């Protein structure tokens, strides 16, 4: 029996999360909906729990290995030590350490696989697109003209552009989709020693995150999952003790960036409608008045001509 790509990814996703989760929620419905954006039927993603991340960076090396990227030693000639996402780094662990002594936290940054991705909405040639089944947002070299709009439109500052070379690429996490197609889990989730990052269907991950919140009241910031509704919902979701904003996850509200932009565009057009109508009216008045003048002049000419002939 042939297995479809969707079934394959869904199966890996299901086996990629702790067994306890699968047991506790049974067969998940993959047709949930956030406030304004439909969730792809086989949406998969990552759950990162900053509270149990020990900052070992094993996920960084595994990501580089999975994506066959050369070591990024530009910041440190001896070690692979990128300090942010860049053209060679799709996944990074950062440290938030406030000076006032309040709790520090690691944070993993990679593509959020937004339900309504601004990078794809802003791309004029659909070089970035969201898979309608798995929801994975990927980049296609053949469609890309190198305009770099995606590096500006992404509210998480994720896509990075290669500045060197004749055929530069846009790099970002694609949820290791080539590994998923081979029946493997994403590289980062394969090596994490604490289970701080796990892979699975979005509904399962959300349920797992909510269980963690329920089991340890008062532990997590605002007792909420970042990405459930934020920015219209994302497929990489987060738990943290520290305010999400401090970890570089902006508070964008439940409306996605493309939806917000569309609303403002509509409003702008609305405000432009009245001046445009006035302008059209004015042009009509001027035209009529000119016509009247022309007619008058014509009649006057006719009159003058007649007089001259007399
Ligand atoms: S899913 Fe793959 S590409 Fe994305 S951060 Fe993990 S290892 Fe890197
Ligand atoms: S995080 Fe940025 S790059 Fe990733 S899907 Fe969302 S808008 Fe696109
Ligand atoms: S491998 Fe796991 S614990 Fe280590 S830095 Fe990455 S997410 Fe944190």
């Amino acid at each position: 029996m042939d297995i479809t790509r969707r079934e394959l990814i869904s199966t890996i996703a299901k086996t990629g999360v702790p067994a306890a989760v699968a047991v506790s929620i049974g067969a998940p419905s993959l047709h949930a909906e956030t406030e304004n954006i439909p969730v792809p039927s086989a949406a998969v993603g990552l759950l990162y729990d900053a509270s149990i991340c020990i900052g070992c960076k094993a996920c960084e090396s595994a990501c580089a290995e999975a994506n066959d990227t050369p070591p990024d030693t530009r910041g440190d000639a001896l070690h692979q030590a990128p300090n942010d996402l860049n053209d060679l780094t799709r996944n990074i662990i950062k440290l938030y350490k406030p000076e006032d002594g309040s709790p520090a936290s690691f944070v993993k940054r990679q593509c959020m696989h937004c339900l309504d991705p601004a990078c794809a909405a802003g791309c004029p040639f659909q070089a970035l697109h969201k898979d309608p089944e798995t929801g994975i947002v990927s980049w296609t070299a053949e469609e890309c003209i190198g305009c770099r709009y995606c590096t500006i439109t992404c509210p998480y500052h994720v896509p990075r552009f290669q500045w060197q070379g004749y055929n530069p690429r846009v790099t970002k996490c694609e949820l290791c989709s080539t590994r998923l197609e081979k029946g493997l889990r994403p590289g980062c989730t394969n090596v994490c020693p604490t289970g701080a990052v796990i892979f699975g269907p979005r509904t399962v991950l959300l349920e797992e995150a909510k269980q963690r919140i329920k089991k340890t009241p008062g532990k997590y910031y605002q007792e909420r999952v970042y990405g459930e509704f934020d920015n219209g919902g994302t497929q990489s979701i987060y738990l943290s003790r520290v305010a999400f904003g401090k970890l570089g996850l902006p508070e964008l509200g439940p409306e996605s960036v493309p939806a917000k932009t569309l609303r403002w565009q509509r409003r702008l057009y609305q405000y432009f409608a009245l001046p445009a109508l006035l302008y059209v009216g004015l042009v009509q008045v001027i035209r009529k008045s000119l016509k009247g003048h022309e007619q008058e002049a014509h009649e006057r000419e006719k009159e003058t001509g007649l007089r001259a002939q007399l």
Side-chain angles (χ1 to χ4, degrees):
M1 189 185 71
D2 280 348
I3 185 163
T4 65
R5 186 164 166 249
R6 170 186 163 177
E7 281 163 352
L8 177 64
I9 293 176
S10 185
T11 310
I12 308 153
K14 278 175 202 157
T15 53
V17 291
V21 183
V23 171
S24 68
I25 62 164
S29 153
L30 298 178
H31 294 272
E33 271 200 355
T34 63
E35 282 202 349
N36 53 356
I37 319 283
V39 179
S41 56
V44 283
L46 302 175
L47 164 62
Y48 171 72
D49 184 342
S51 76
I52 53 173
C53 174
I54 54 169
C56 66
K57 292 183 176 238
C59 55
E60 272 185 24
S61 312
C63 180
E65 196 185 329
N67 291 290
D68 204 18
T69 45
D72 182 11
T73 51
R74 287 172 292 193
D76 176 334
L78 282 180
H79 305 100
Q80 172 158 327
N83 56 14
D84 206 346
L85 296 174
N86 62 41
D87 57 340
L88 298 176
T89 310
R90 295 168 189 229
N91 169 49
I92 188 126
I93 296 291
K94 290 180 145 190
L95 172 65
Y96 165 71
K97 198 176 174 201
E99 283 177 0
D100 63 4
S102 50
S105 175
F106 290 108
V107 61
K108 181 181 187 295
R109 300 300 314 279
Q110 78 294 297
C111 177
M112 302 293 283
H113 297 282
C114 307
L115 292 181
D116 189 11
C119 59
C123 179
F125 292 93
Q126 275 107 48
L128 279 146
H129 52 271
K130 189 166 180 70
D131 185 280
E133 292 185 343
T134 63
I136 296 173
V137 179
S138 349
W139 175 79
T140 324
E142 296 74 47
E143 317 288 340
C144 183
I145 56 157
C147 68
R148 287 161 237 158
Y149 271 13
C150 54
T151 63
I152 301 162
T153 52
C154 170
Y156 299 104
H157 196 40
V158 167
R160 299 301 165 103
F161 192 74
Q162 276 176 352
W163 293 91
Q164 288 89 19
Y166 295 108
N167 190 16
R169 299 179 63 86
V170 169
T171 51
K172 67 167 211 71
C173 159
E174 296 186 348
L175 216 53
C176 285
S177 46
T178 46
R179 279 177 63 88
L180 299 186
E181 279 165 11
K182 288 182 202 151
L184 301 166
R185 280 185 294 173
C188 56
T189 63
N190 217 25
V191 294
C192 181
T194 64
V197 60
I198 57 173
F199 168 75
R202 185 176 185 268
T203 41
V204 176
L205 297 177
L206 265 175
E207 194 56 39
E208 165 67 0
K210 286 176 185 175
Q211 291 281 345
R212 289 187 195 182
I213 292 173
K214 208 171 157 193
K215 270 188 212 151
T216 46
K219 177 180 172 185
Y220 292 107
Y221 177 67
Q222 288 182 340
E223 309 230 307
R224 77 178 175 97
V225 188
Y226 186 95
E228 182 176 13
F229 299 116
D230 306 75
N231 186 29
T234 59
Q235 290 179 217
S236 296
I237 54 174
Y238 283 72
L239 283 177
S240 166
R241 287 176 202 262
V242 171
F244 298 115
K246 291 179 177 167
L247 302 183
L249 298 166
E251 296 291 358
L252 298 166
E255 197 177 20
S256 71
V257 167
K260 250 179 234 159
T261 315
L262 202 67
R263 189 161 50 82
W264 277 103
Q265 227 171 29
R266 280 197 193 123
R267 202 169 282 179
L268 214 63
Y269 288 155
Q270 237 171 18
Y271 288 130
F272 270 132
L274 190 62
L277 278 175
L278 281 173
Y279 176 74
V280 171
L282 209 63
V283 169
Q284 291 302 334
V285 171
I286 293 169
R287 267 192 179 166
K288 260 190 191 166
S289 154
L290 278 175
K291 225 176 185 180
H293 281 304
E294 262 173 26
Q295 219 163 342
E296 255 177 45
H298 190 63
E299 271 162 21
R300 224 178 291 133
E301 260 173 31
K302 252 167 103 185
E303 246 175 59
T304 334
L306 272 176
R307 273 185 203 138
Q309 274 177 19
L310 279 173

